[in-house]
Amino acid sequence: MAVISRPDLFRIHQATTVQLLRDAAFEIAERMPQPLGIVCGPITSGGYNDQDPLQRTKKNLILFNLWIGALAEKGVPVFSQIPFESAMFRIYRKDKVDIIEEFYRPLFEKYISIFYFIRGWETSDGATKER
C-alpha cells in the first residue's frame, strides 16, 4: 500500500468538490504498483447491526482498516479509501452527489482491477452498487 503523504492528506481535507477528491485519488493511485486492489464493504450503511449510525460506521471502518492492513502486510497493492471518507461525507451532505458514480466508478475504471468484498458487503448500499 502506498503511503499517503501529508500534502495528499491536506489536499483531501481541503477538497470542496468530488472532482477535487477524485483528482487526488487518481494521483495517489498513479503512484501505486499495479494491479491495484480495493476493499469493498459496508462503511456508513450495513455491516455491524448497531442502531447508532456513528458507532456502526466506526466499527465498519475498523474492519476496513484491518482488511487493508492484512492485504498490505502480504504485499498486495491496495488503495485505501479511508482517508477520503470524512471529505466525501462532508461533500455529499452539501452537494448530494452520487459518490459511487462520481468518485468510485472513474477510479475503478482507470486504476482498480481487483476487488476484495468483505463480510457484510451485501448489506451495504455502496458495496452493492460497486459490485
Side-chain angles (χ1 to χ4, degrees):
M1 178 170 65
V3 175
I4 297 177
S5 68
R6 283 184 182 209
D8 291 330
L9 291 173
F10 182 76
R11 184 174 177 195
I12 292 165
H13 178 72
Q14 294 297 316
T16 56
T17 66
V18 73
Q19 167 86 35
L20 292 171
L21 282 182
R22 188 175 59 237
D23 291 347
F26 278 16
E27 286 183 22
I28 292 164
E30 190 75 36
R31 297 191 305 253
M32 297 182 73
Q34 300 294 321
L36 187 56
I38 194 166
V39 174
C40 300
I43 295 178
T44 57
S45 67
Y48 283 94
N49 190 15
D50 198 310
Q51 295 303 315
D52 178 359
L54 183 58
Q55 289 304 313
R56 179 179 55 240
T57 298
K58 285 181 180 180
K59 290 175 183 176
N60 287 337
L61 287 172
I62 289 168
L63 184 60
F64 251 79
N65 279 318
L66 289 171
W67 270 87
I68 291 166
L71 289 165
E73 281 182 19
K74 292 180 180 180
V76 175
V78 60
F79 180 88
S80 176
Q81 64 270 51
I82 302 303
F84 295 86
E85 282 303 312
S86 63
M88 279 188 226
F89 183 71
R90 176 177 36 81
I91 291 168
Y92 172 78
R93 282 190 8 210
K94 180 178 66 100
D95 298 335
K96 301 296 187 240
V97 296
D98 185 335
I99 297 294
I100 299 296
E101 289 298 321
E102 300 295 322
F103 180 84
Y104 284 106
R105 182 183 295 276
L107 183 66
F108 293 171
E109 289 174 347
K110 189 163 182 158
Y111 294 103
I112 308 295
S113 58
I114 304 167
F115 299 83
Y116 300 95
F117 284 86
I118 62 175
R119 181 191 76 198
W121 72 265
E122 307 90 343
T123 65
S124 164
D125 296 336
T128 55
K129 289 178 184 176
E130 290 168 347
R131 181 89 172 173

